[in-house]
Amino acid sequence: MRALLSFVLIVWGMAAQAEIAPRDGWVVMPTTKPYAQLVDDVKSAVKANKMGVVTQAGPTGAAKNRGITIPGNRVIGVFNNRYAVRILGLSTAAMIEAPIRIYVTENEDGSASLSYKTPSTVFAPYMAEADADLGVAADELDAIFLSIAKAAVQ
């Protein structure tokens, strides 16, 4: 049983180290930066773009406390109250998507990648029921998130 568990953890660890593949509606930016630096640079870029880090979560530290080593993995929730109030006024249901998440993952070679679903993709399911300004807000957020991402990966 122990051998099976070890095998599963090794295979899972290798899969967890796979880089994020490009996919529709996502922005994926590999970097040469180490994981911890990219996490810090994302937070700095969020602040510089007048947005806020609302949430942070990742299994890496908790796994380490359990004696399991996995690659760095952090989800950073980013938003701003002026967009929250605006979007809430356009679609109550759409607010389930806030904050928009930026995903920082450690790659097998020690570098890190930044990934996120574009706000226009995240809010697309709510467009038909909302005022057209939801699309405008999503486009504005697309530009802000791209600016955050570009600043963080430089």
Side-chain angles (χ1 to χ4, degrees):
M1 184 62 151
R2 235 182 209 172
L4 177 61
L5 179 60
S6 294
F7 175 75
V8 168
L9 288 173
I10 289 168
V11 170
W12 178 76
M14 290 180 352
Q17 289 185 350
E19 294 181 25
I20 300 288
R23 55 193 77 220
D24 289 342
W26 284 54
V27 173
V28 178
M29 297 181 170
T31 75
T32 58
K33 293 183 177 189
Y35 166 77
Q37 180 183 349
L38 186 55
V39 169
D40 289 343
D41 290 349
V42 167
K43 292 176 190 176
S44 295
V46 166
K47 185 175 182 178
N49 280 274
K50 297 180 175 51
M51 298 292 280
V53 172
V54 179
T55 60
Q56 291 186 67
T60 310
K64 184 177 181 180
N65 291 339
R66 295 177 46 224
I68 301 169
T69 301
I70 61 173
N73 188 293
R74 177 78 55 97
V75 177
I76 303 169
V78 176
F79 222 60
N80 181 298
N81 185 258
R82 76 176 180 264
Y83 279 100
V85 170
R86 180 176 169 190
I87 291 170
L88 187 56
L90 301 168
S91 169
T92 301
M95 276 306 295
I96 190 74
E97 305 297 346
I100 305 291
R101 298 172 307 273
I102 295 176
Y103 192 26
V104 179
T105 51
E106 185 175 23
N107 301 320
E108 193 170 340
D109 66 0
S111 67
S113 294
L114 180 154
S115 308
Y116 66 94
K117 290 182 186 178
T118 62
S120 58
T121 297
V122 170
F123 290 120
Y126 310 95
M127 295 297 177
E129 70 184 39
D131 182 280
D133 191 43
L134 182 58
V136 174
D139 289 344
E140 291 170 12
L141 287 165
D142 281 350
I144 292 168
F145 273 73
L146 184 58
S147 181
I148 290 168
K150 285 181 176 179
V153 301
Q154 289 184 348

